[in-house]
Amino acid sequence: MATASVAFKSREDHRKQLELEEARKAGLAPAEVDEDGKEINPHIPQYMSSAPWYLNAERPSLKHQRKWKSDPNYTKSWYDRGAKIFQADKFRKGACENCGAMTHDTKSCMERPRKIGAKWTNKNIAPDEKIETFELDYDGKRDRWNGYDAATYAQVIERYERRDEARRKYLKEQQLKQLDEKNNNQNKEGGDSDDEKLEDALKVDEAKVDESKQMDFAKVEKRVRTTGGGSTGTVRNLRIREDTAKYLLNLDVNSAYYDPKTRSMREDPLPDMDPNEKFYIGDNQNRLSGQALEFKQLNIHSWEAFDKGHDIHMQAAPSQAELLYKNYKINKEKLKSQTKDSIMDKYGNAAAEEVLPRELLLGQSEKEVEYDRAGRVIKGQEAALPRSKYEEDVFVNNHTSVWGSWWKDHQWGYKCCRQTYRNSFCTGAAGIEAAEESAELMRVNIARKEASEGTEAPVEEKRLATWGTEVPDDLVLDEKKLAEALKKEDERRREEKDERKRKFNVKWNDEVTAEDMEAYRMKKIHHDDPMKDFL
């Protein structure tokens, strides 16, 4: 390997450098280190950006290519325009004599020169500006848009929109004015026909219509009965060229698939977006709305009717299938209305009843009732309190409170005895005391159990003789089980040698006994055994 070419002042310097390199190779001289304190490999040429793989070098040694990444000290931020940091109340020594700010001097002050500066008036002291210093990197120094606020462009758009709106309004007024003058002149002459008057009236109506309603970018008229040919009709399903193409809505490669041949995208490219802000939700939406949905329901009805024994086929007799489907919908609506009428006849319809008068809704009437100072009725009849259709204040099983007057631990109960079982017999204060004692005894028992579990004696772990472990000395094997295990091991080895003997349904058993382990050791081939070829 050749080393980097270095310019030496004399042959003596070159000879000394060669001797130093030879001493470093032999370990007689200290190794050369770089600016970071790491040893430099002398076998790597200094002009290489990446060392060869066979040198096992950790990193390249070219110094100016070592820090190719951007320095973290550099930044791409920009000055905070118009930011203030401190507002002083009086003039400070060393501040600007004109405005009173400490961040600049009088000569560089950008404020209008005052008749009497803040140094002498000590009033209207300007706040200190925010002074920032940045160390920009290579890209930051050459970035034309560094510090640009995109929100300011909204003002430009708004200005142009106002100009266009004023222009459209002016042109509309001029057009209406010209049409009115033309109509007035024609009425004075009196020689116009009815067709011309009708045409002028239509022009006036079109001029009054908003331009946004007149624009139809997707309208494509075809020629009829001409040499160019073509059929009659208008194509209105083309995309407006100002809108974003469907394949540009989501540039993720794993998003909805776009077929360029048919220009179709069945799935929704933006499924997580707000539905109110979408203008395209995929071509599958066309299949779930309009006549496509009706045709789908017609097919489903034909299939279900055919399965139930009706002689109906959508492709063979489409008119018959559509007629039967219409009759089916009519009969379904009739049955639905009959069911609704029967339910209303049986239970009534509160929504269809007449609305009660306002006086009855608010509980007002013309009846006069007089009361004395004690609240007793003197004249008239006192208004009856509304009662529920359910029984109230009915106490059962010797209870003094109703069910639901007690609540504890997400359970309802009786307040008199604090029982949570419905229709239970009331036990009174004695039942409350017994329940509290039982709960206290339960807490004591739980605490005692936790204390005993915390001081449990450690259990000695037993090591089982499994795969890879040594055979214990006190191992006792069953001769019958060992013979069966040897037969199973022989069958397994035969199946491994000849796959034709392997059964189709393989049953796996992961329970390994001591006899199975011993049979495996007895049949195992040791590669260091000189007699292994004769087994």
PDB file of all heavy atoms in Angstrom, residues 403-423:
ATOM      1  N   TRP A 403     -86.759   0.616  49.288  1.00  0.00           N
ATOM      2  CA  TRP A 403     -85.592   0.080  48.578  1.00  0.00           C
ATOM      3  C   TRP A 403     -84.963   1.182  47.711  1.00  0.00           C
ATOM      4  O   TRP A 403     -85.635   1.902  46.989  1.00  0.00           O
ATOM      5  CB  TRP A 403     -86.027  -1.098  47.711  1.00  0.00           C
ATOM      6  CG  TRP A 403     -84.964  -1.536  46.749  1.00  0.00           C
ATOM      7  CD1 TRP A 403     -84.871  -1.234  45.430  1.00  0.00           C
ATOM      8  CD2 TRP A 403     -83.843  -2.364  47.042  1.00  0.00           C
ATOM      9  NE1 TRP A 403     -83.774  -1.809  44.882  1.00  0.00           N
ATOM     10  CE2 TRP A 403     -83.108  -2.521  45.850  1.00  0.00           C
ATOM     11  CE3 TRP A 403     -83.393  -2.986  48.195  1.00  0.00           C
ATOM     12  CZ2 TRP A 403     -81.956  -3.284  45.776  1.00  0.00           C
ATOM     13  CZ3 TRP A 403     -82.229  -3.745  48.132  1.00  0.00           C
ATOM     14  CH2 TRP A 403     -81.531  -3.885  46.942  1.00  0.00           C
ATOM     15  N   GLY A 404     -83.670   1.312  47.829  1.00  0.00           N
ATOM     16  CA  GLY A 404     -82.957   2.345  47.083  1.00  0.00           C
ATOM     17  C   GLY A 404     -82.591   3.550  47.921  1.00  0.00           C
ATOM     18  O   GLY A 404     -82.010   4.502  47.405  1.00  0.00           O
ATOM     19  N   SER A 405     -82.925   3.524  49.228  1.00  0.00           N
ATOM     20  CA  SER A 405     -82.557   4.635  50.098  1.00  0.00           C
ATOM     21  C   SER A 405     -81.143   4.519  50.637  1.00  0.00           C
ATOM     22  O   SER A 405     -80.676   5.407  51.346  1.00  0.00           O
ATOM     23  CB  SER A 405     -83.538   4.718  51.269  1.00  0.00           C
ATOM     24  OG  SER A 405     -83.551   3.489  51.992  1.00  0.00           O
ATOM     25  N   TRP A 406     -80.440   3.449  50.324  1.00  0.00           N
ATOM     26  CA  TRP A 406     -79.059   3.237  50.800  1.00  0.00           C
ATOM     27  C   TRP A 406     -78.176   2.871  49.611  1.00  0.00           C
ATOM     28  O   TRP A 406     -78.598   2.133  48.723  1.00  0.00           O
ATOM     29  CB  TRP A 406     -79.036   2.122  51.855  1.00  0.00           C
ATOM     30  CG  TRP A 406     -77.651   1.686  52.258  1.00  0.00           C
ATOM     31  CD1 TRP A 406     -77.004   0.550  51.882  1.00  0.00           C
ATOM     32  CD2 TRP A 406     -76.750   2.400  53.090  1.00  0.00           C
ATOM     33  NE1 TRP A 406     -75.749   0.495  52.433  1.00  0.00           N
ATOM     34  CE2 TRP A 406     -75.562   1.642  53.194  1.00  0.00           C
ATOM     35  CE3 TRP A 406     -76.823   3.612  53.775  1.00  0.00           C
ATOM     36  CZ2 TRP A 406     -74.482   2.051  53.938  1.00  0.00           C
ATOM     37  CZ3 TRP A 406     -75.734   4.025  54.525  1.00  0.00           C
ATOM     38  CH2 TRP A 406     -74.581   3.241  54.608  1.00  0.00           C
ATOM     39  N   TRP A 407     -76.954   3.399  49.569  1.00  0.00           N
ATOM     40  CA  TRP A 407     -76.025   3.135  48.457  1.00  0.00           C
ATOM     41  C   TRP A 407     -74.622   2.970  49.022  1.00  0.00           C
ATOM     42  O   TRP A 407     -74.122   3.828  49.757  1.00  0.00           O
ATOM     43  CB  TRP A 407     -76.055   4.298  47.463  1.00  0.00           C
ATOM     44  CG  TRP A 407     -74.932   4.260  46.461  1.00  0.00           C
ATOM     45  CD1 TRP A 407     -73.733   4.920  46.534  1.00  0.00           C
ATOM     46  CD2 TRP A 407     -74.883   3.535  45.239  1.00  0.00           C
ATOM     47  NE1 TRP A 407     -72.959   4.652  45.442  1.00  0.00           N
ATOM     48  CE2 TRP A 407     -73.642   3.798  44.633  1.00  0.00           C
ATOM     49  CE3 TRP A 407     -75.764   2.672  44.609  1.00  0.00           C
ATOM     50  CZ2 TRP A 407     -73.274   3.237  43.414  1.00  0.00           C
ATOM     51  CZ3 TRP A 407     -75.401   2.130  43.394  1.00  0.00           C
ATOM     52  CH2 TRP A 407     -74.177   2.398  42.801  1.00  0.00           C
ATOM     53  N   LYS A 408     -73.998   1.834  48.666  1.00  0.00           N
ATOM     54  CA  LYS A 408     -72.632   1.596  49.118  1.00  0.00           C
ATOM     55  C   LYS A 408     -71.993   0.569  48.200  1.00  0.00           C
ATOM     56  O   LYS A 408     -72.610  -0.460  47.884  1.00  0.00           O
ATOM     57  CB  LYS A 408     -72.612   1.097  50.565  1.00  0.00           C
ATOM     58  CG  LYS A 408     -71.193   0.952  51.120  1.00  0.00           C
ATOM     59  CD  LYS A 408     -71.213   0.506  52.573  1.00  0.00           C
ATOM     60  CE  LYS A 408     -69.798   0.393  53.129  1.00  0.00           C
ATOM     61  NZ  LYS A 408     -69.803  -0.075  54.527  1.00  0.00           N
ATOM     62  N   ASP A 409     -70.770   0.857  47.779  1.00  0.00           N
ATOM     63  CA  ASP A 409     -69.987  -0.062  46.941  1.00  0.00           C
ATOM     64  C   ASP A 409     -70.767  -0.478  45.691  1.00  0.00           C
ATOM     65  O   ASP A 409     -70.874  -1.674  45.359  1.00  0.00           O
ATOM     66  CB  ASP A 409     -69.563  -1.304  47.738  1.00  0.00           C
ATOM     67  CG  ASP A 409     -68.652  -0.952  48.901  1.00  0.00           C
ATOM     68  OD1 ASP A 409     -67.991   0.102  48.806  1.00  0.00           O
ATOM     69  OD2 ASP A 409     -68.626  -1.705  49.883  1.00  0.00           O
ATOM     70  N   HIS A 410     -71.378   0.506  45.043  1.00  0.00           N
ATOM     71  CA  HIS A 410     -72.109   0.281  43.783  1.00  0.00           C
ATOM     72  C   HIS A 410     -73.295  -0.675  43.955  1.00  0.00           C
ATOM     73  O   HIS A 410     -73.607  -1.458  43.067  1.00  0.00           O
ATOM     74  CB  HIS A 410     -71.162  -0.262  42.696  1.00  0.00           C
ATOM     75  CG  HIS A 410     -69.994   0.625  42.449  1.00  0.00           C
ATOM     76  ND1 HIS A 410     -70.070   1.768  41.670  1.00  0.00           N
ATOM     77  CD2 HIS A 410     -68.706   0.558  42.888  1.00  0.00           C
ATOM     78  CE1 HIS A 410     -68.889   2.349  41.639  1.00  0.00           C
ATOM     79  NE2 HIS A 410     -68.045   1.653  42.366  1.00  0.00           N
ATOM     80  N   GLN A 411     -73.934  -0.644  45.134  1.00  0.00           N
ATOM     81  CA  GLN A 411     -75.084  -1.494  45.399  1.00  0.00           C
ATOM     82  C   GLN A 411     -76.145  -0.685  46.136  1.00  0.00           C
ATOM     83  O   GLN A 411     -75.821   0.139  47.003  1.00  0.00           O
ATOM     84  CB  GLN A 411     -74.700  -2.727  46.242  1.00  0.00           C
ATOM     85  CG  GLN A 411     -73.885  -3.762  45.470  1.00  0.00           C
ATOM     86  CD  GLN A 411     -73.586  -4.971  46.311  1.00  0.00           C
ATOM     87  OE1 GLN A 411     -73.626  -4.922  47.530  1.00  0.00           O
ATOM     88  NE2 GLN A 411     -73.299  -6.088  45.655  1.00  0.00           N
ATOM     89  N   TRP A 412     -77.421  -0.898  45.742  1.00  0.00           N
ATOM     90  CA  TRP A 412     -78.546  -0.258  46.413  1.00  0.00           C
ATOM     91  C   TRP A 412     -79.013  -1.141  47.573  1.00  0.00           C
ATOM     92  O   TRP A 412     -78.788  -2.350  47.571  1.00  0.00           O
ATOM     93  CB  TRP A 412     -79.705  -0.042  45.436  1.00  0.00           C
ATOM     94  CG  TRP A 412     -79.406   0.925  44.336  1.00  0.00           C
ATOM     95  CD1 TRP A 412     -79.129   0.637  43.039  1.00  0.00           C
ATOM     96  CD2 TRP A 412     -79.356   2.345  44.451  1.00  0.00           C
ATOM     97  NE1 TRP A 412     -78.909   1.788  42.316  1.00  0.00           N
ATOM     98  CE2 TRP A 412     -79.050   2.857  43.170  1.00  0.00           C
ATOM     99  CE3 TRP A 412     -79.546   3.247  45.508  1.00  0.00           C
ATOM    100  CZ2 TRP A 412     -78.925   4.214  42.919  1.00  0.00           C
ATOM    101  CZ3 TRP A 412     -79.423   4.600  45.252  1.00  0.00           C
ATOM    102  CH2 TRP A 412     -79.115   5.073  43.977  1.00  0.00           C
ATOM    103  N   GLY A 413     -79.689  -0.501  48.538  1.00  0.00           N
ATOM    104  CA  GLY A 413     -80.191  -1.251  49.678  1.00  0.00           C
ATOM    105  C   GLY A 413     -81.178  -0.436  50.490  1.00  0.00           C
ATOM    106  O   GLY A 413     -81.692   0.604  50.056  1.00  0.00           O
ATOM    107  N   TYR A 414     -81.444  -0.923  51.700  1.00  0.00           N
ATOM    108  CA  TYR A 414     -82.356  -0.269  52.639  1.00  0.00           C
ATOM    109  C   TYR A 414     -81.545   0.539  53.635  1.00  0.00           C
ATOM    110  O   TYR A 414     -80.533   0.063  54.167  1.00  0.00           O
ATOM    111  CB  TYR A 414     -83.206  -1.305  53.384  1.00  0.00           C
ATOM    112  CG  TYR A 414     -84.116  -2.113  52.493  1.00  0.00           C
ATOM    113  CD1 TYR A 414     -83.740  -3.376  52.050  1.00  0.00           C
ATOM    114  CD2 TYR A 414     -85.349  -1.619  52.105  1.00  0.00           C
ATOM    115  CE1 TYR A 414     -84.572  -4.129  51.243  1.00  0.00           C
ATOM    116  CE2 TYR A 414     -86.193  -2.369  51.297  1.00  0.00           C
ATOM    117  CZ  TYR A 414     -85.791  -3.612  50.858  1.00  0.00           C
ATOM    118  OH  TYR A 414     -86.618  -4.339  50.069  1.00  0.00           O
ATOM    119  N   LYS A 415     -82.003   1.758  53.924  1.00  0.00           N
ATOM    120  CA  LYS A 415     -81.278   2.626  54.835  1.00  0.00           C
ATOM    121  C   LYS A 415     -81.475   2.207  56.287  1.00  0.00           C
ATOM    122  O   LYS A 415     -80.598   2.423  57.131  1.00  0.00           O
ATOM    123  CB  LYS A 415     -81.752   4.070  54.645  1.00  0.00           C
ATOM    124  CG  LYS A 415     -80.969   5.083  55.449  1.00  0.00           C
ATOM    125  CD  LYS A 415     -81.457   6.482  55.175  1.00  0.00           C
ATOM    126  CE  LYS A 415     -80.670   7.501  55.986  1.00  0.00           C
ATOM    127  NZ  LYS A 415     -81.147   8.884  55.733  1.00  0.00           N
ATOM    128  N   CYS A 416     -82.611   1.575  56.596  1.00  0.00           N
ATOM    129  CA  CYS A 416     -82.908   1.239  57.986  1.00  0.00           C
ATOM    130  C   CYS A 416     -81.985   0.157  58.528  1.00  0.00           C
ATOM    131  O   CYS A 416     -81.603   0.174  59.706  1.00  0.00           O
ATOM    132  CB  CYS A 416     -84.367   0.828  58.123  1.00  0.00           C
ATOM    133  SG  CYS A 416     -84.846  -0.523  57.008  1.00  0.00           S
ATOM    134  N   CYS A 417     -81.640  -0.825  57.704  1.00  0.00           N
ATOM    135  CA  CYS A 417     -80.793  -1.926  58.163  1.00  0.00           C
ATOM    136  C   CYS A 417     -79.541  -2.120  57.308  1.00  0.00           C
ATOM    137  O   CYS A 417     -78.746  -3.019  57.584  1.00  0.00           O
ATOM    138  CB  CYS A 417     -81.589  -3.231  58.194  1.00  0.00           C
ATOM    139  SG  CYS A 417     -82.295  -3.677  56.586  1.00  0.00           S
ATOM    140  N   ARG A 418     -79.391  -1.294  56.229  1.00  0.00           N
ATOM    141  CA  ARG A 418     -78.215  -1.326  55.362  1.00  0.00           C
ATOM    142  C   ARG A 418     -78.011  -2.689  54.709  1.00  0.00           C
ATOM    143  O   ARG A 418     -76.890  -3.176  54.577  1.00  0.00           O
ATOM    144  CB  ARG A 418     -76.965  -0.909  56.122  1.00  0.00           C
ATOM    145  CG  ARG A 418     -77.026   0.511  56.641  1.00  0.00           C
ATOM    146  CD  ARG A 418     -75.735   0.908  57.313  1.00  0.00           C
ATOM    147  NE  ARG A 418     -75.823   2.255  57.875  1.00  0.00           N
ATOM    148  CZ  ARG A 418     -74.837   2.862  58.536  1.00  0.00           C
ATOM    149  NH1 ARG A 418     -73.685   2.205  58.729  1.00  0.00           N
ATOM    150  NH2 ARG A 418     -75.002   4.069  59.003  1.00  0.00           N
ATOM    151  N   GLN A 419     -79.114  -3.334  54.337  1.00  0.00           N
ATOM    152  CA  GLN A 419     -79.031  -4.585  53.606  1.00  0.00           C
ATOM    153  C   GLN A 419     -79.145  -4.305  52.114  1.00  0.00           C
ATOM    154  O   GLN A 419     -79.919  -3.445  51.692  1.00  0.00           O
ATOM    155  CB  GLN A 419     -80.146  -5.546  54.051  1.00  0.00           C
ATOM    156  CG  GLN A 419     -80.009  -6.023  55.483  1.00  0.00           C
ATOM    157  CD  GLN A 419     -80.881  -7.215  55.749  1.00  0.00           C
ATOM    158  OE1 GLN A 419     -80.836  -8.187  54.991  1.00  0.00           O
ATOM    159  NE2 GLN A 419     -81.674  -7.140  56.817  1.00  0.00           N
ATOM    160  N   THR A 420     -78.385  -5.068  51.338  1.00  0.00           N
ATOM    161  CA  THR A 420     -78.364  -4.883  49.891  1.00  0.00           C
ATOM    162  C   THR A 420     -79.120  -5.976  49.159  1.00  0.00           C
ATOM    163  O   THR A 420     -78.997  -6.075  47.933  1.00  0.00           O
ATOM    164  CB  THR A 420     -76.908  -4.848  49.398  1.00  0.00           C
ATOM    165  OG1 THR A 420     -76.240  -6.052  49.795  1.00  0.00           O
ATOM    166  CG2 THR A 420     -76.172  -3.639  49.944  1.00  0.00           C
ATOM    167  N   TYR A 421     -79.889  -6.799  49.871  1.00  0.00           N
ATOM    168  CA  TYR A 421     -80.693  -7.844  49.252  1.00  0.00           C
ATOM    169  C   TYR A 421     -82.154  -7.392  49.221  1.00  0.00           C
ATOM    170  O   TYR A 421     -82.732  -7.061  50.264  1.00  0.00           O
ATOM    171  CB  TYR A 421     -80.557  -9.166  50.018  1.00  0.00           C
ATOM    172  CG  TYR A 421     -79.176  -9.745  49.977  1.00  0.00           C
ATOM    173  CD1 TYR A 421     -78.299  -9.568  51.037  1.00  0.00           C
ATOM    174  CD2 TYR A 421     -78.735 -10.451  48.852  1.00  0.00           C
ATOM    175  CE1 TYR A 421     -77.018 -10.083  50.986  1.00  0.00           C
ATOM    176  CE2 TYR A 421     -77.459 -10.972  48.806  1.00  0.00           C
ATOM    177  CZ  TYR A 421     -76.606 -10.789  49.870  1.00  0.00           C
ATOM    178  OH  TYR A 421     -75.341 -11.301  49.817  1.00  0.00           O
ATOM    179  N   ARG A 422     -82.729  -7.363  48.047  1.00  0.00           N
ATOM    180  CA  ARG A 422     -84.107  -6.898  47.908  1.00  0.00           C
ATOM    181  C   ARG A 422     -85.070  -7.912  48.547  1.00  0.00           C
ATOM    182  O   ARG A 422     -84.850  -9.120  48.493  1.00  0.00           O
ATOM    183  CB  ARG A 422     -84.434  -6.735  46.426  1.00  0.00           C
ATOM    184  CG  ARG A 422     -85.809  -6.116  46.187  1.00  0.00           C
ATOM    185  CD  ARG A 422     -85.679  -4.822  45.472  1.00  0.00           C
ATOM    186  NE  ARG A 422     -86.940  -4.107  45.384  1.00  0.00           N
ATOM    187  CZ  ARG A 422     -87.410  -3.566  44.277  1.00  0.00           C
ATOM    188  NH1 ARG A 422     -86.723  -3.682  43.165  1.00  0.00           N
ATOM    189  NH2 ARG A 422     -88.531  -2.870  44.276  1.00  0.00           N
ATOM    190  N   ASN A 423     -86.150  -7.397  49.144  1.00  0.00           N
ATOM    191  CA  ASN A 423     -87.194  -8.195  49.796  1.00  0.00           C
ATOM    192  C   ASN A 423     -86.660  -9.009  50.980  1.00  0.00           C
ATOM    193  O   ASN A 423     -87.208 -10.050  51.330  1.00  0.00           O
ATOM    194  CB  ASN A 423     -87.889  -9.136  48.798  1.00  0.00           C
ATOM    195  CG  ASN A 423     -88.618  -8.366  47.716  1.00  0.00           C
ATOM    196  OD1 ASN A 423     -89.133  -7.271  47.967  1.00  0.00           O
ATOM    197  ND2 ASN A 423     -88.669  -8.932  46.525  1.00  0.00           N
TER     198      ASN A 423
END
